[in-house]
Amino acid sequence: TRQAAVWRAWVAGVEVDRVPLDLLILLGDLPDDEEINHAANRPVEVTSRYVGGGPLAQTSDAKSITDGSLKTMWMTKNVPFPQSCTIDLGENRSVGCVIIHEHGPFAMTEFSVDLREADGEFVEVAHLKQVTEGARVVGFEPRPARFVRVNSLNSRKPKYPTAILQIEVRPRRPPEESPEREHEIERAVRAMGALGG
């Protein structure tokens, strides 16, 4: 009875045409730009490329990096480190996250990410020594950049310095996911559904 009374008092104070502040706090920071990919279909320059040896490698081309497909790949073979690809975003954009999709068997074990404004010099924003299965999400403080460069410095199989399926360039890092966070968002959405509007 006490709990029902608390809820009745809370609902009575809810304005019909506004989302309650409590629910906005539960929702937290849900960016509306999460789906923006500045790199989509943008031109790419690469240091070298290798064509041949299997269905993915047959498609090896610089444009594979930004074509939106995980069935095409840019690959290098029998060339020295570093190997790099540089994406031209067309103009300065706010960049805070680079997501790299790789072909697992040839994944990089050390790599760096550099940014450059239209009239500036390249600045390293990340340098990592790690292997991640699937997509690598590299987040950093957002800054303006026209060019995004990914440098392969070592790989699982050094004979193949790169095997990149896709690179995404986003305004900011996606929010961290956790069961607790998902539960908070679900509670807020369910409450809004019950309240209407």
Side-chain angles (χ1 to χ4, degrees), residues 27-49:
L27 284 175
D29 183 20
L30 293 179
D32 57 6
D33 58 6
E34 189 176 337
E35 297 304 315
I36 294 174
N37 176 12
H38 294 316
N41 298 308
R42 296 302 308 167
V44 184
E45 288 188 6
V46 296
T47 47
S48 67
R49 75 184 182 98

Side-chain angles (χ1 to χ4, degrees), residues 7-110:
W7 275 107
R8 274 196 295 274
W10 185 84
V11 171
V14 171
E15 297 180 48
V16 177
D17 59 344
R18 298 187 67 173
V19 177
L21 179 61
D22 310 57
L23 302 189
L24 293 177
I25 291 172
L26 273 181
L27 284 175
D29 183 20
L30 293 179
D32 57 6
D33 58 6
E34 189 176 337
E35 297 304 315
I36 294 174
N37 176 12
H38 294 316
N41 298 308
R42 296 302 308 167
V44 184
E45 288 188 6
V46 296
T47 47
S48 67
R49 75 184 182 98
Y50 164 69
V51 179
L56 282 177
Q58 298 288 351
T59 66
S60 182
D61 194 347
K63 65 183 179 183
S64 299
I65 296 168
T66 60
D67 65 1
S69 172
L70 295 178
K71 295 181 179 179
T72 59
M73 176 172 65
W74 166 57
M75 191 174 196
T76 59
K77 181 180 179 182
N78 288 329
V79 288
F81 292 100
Q83 290 295 309
S84 66
C85 60
T86 304
I87 303 168
D88 183 352
L89 305 181
E91 61 183 351
N92 283 345
R93 306 270 189 181
S94 178
V95 176
C97 180
V98 174
I99 303 173
I100 307 167
H101 303 266
E102 293 185 89
H103 185 45
F106 305 138
M108 296 179 291
T109 56
E110 181 180 1

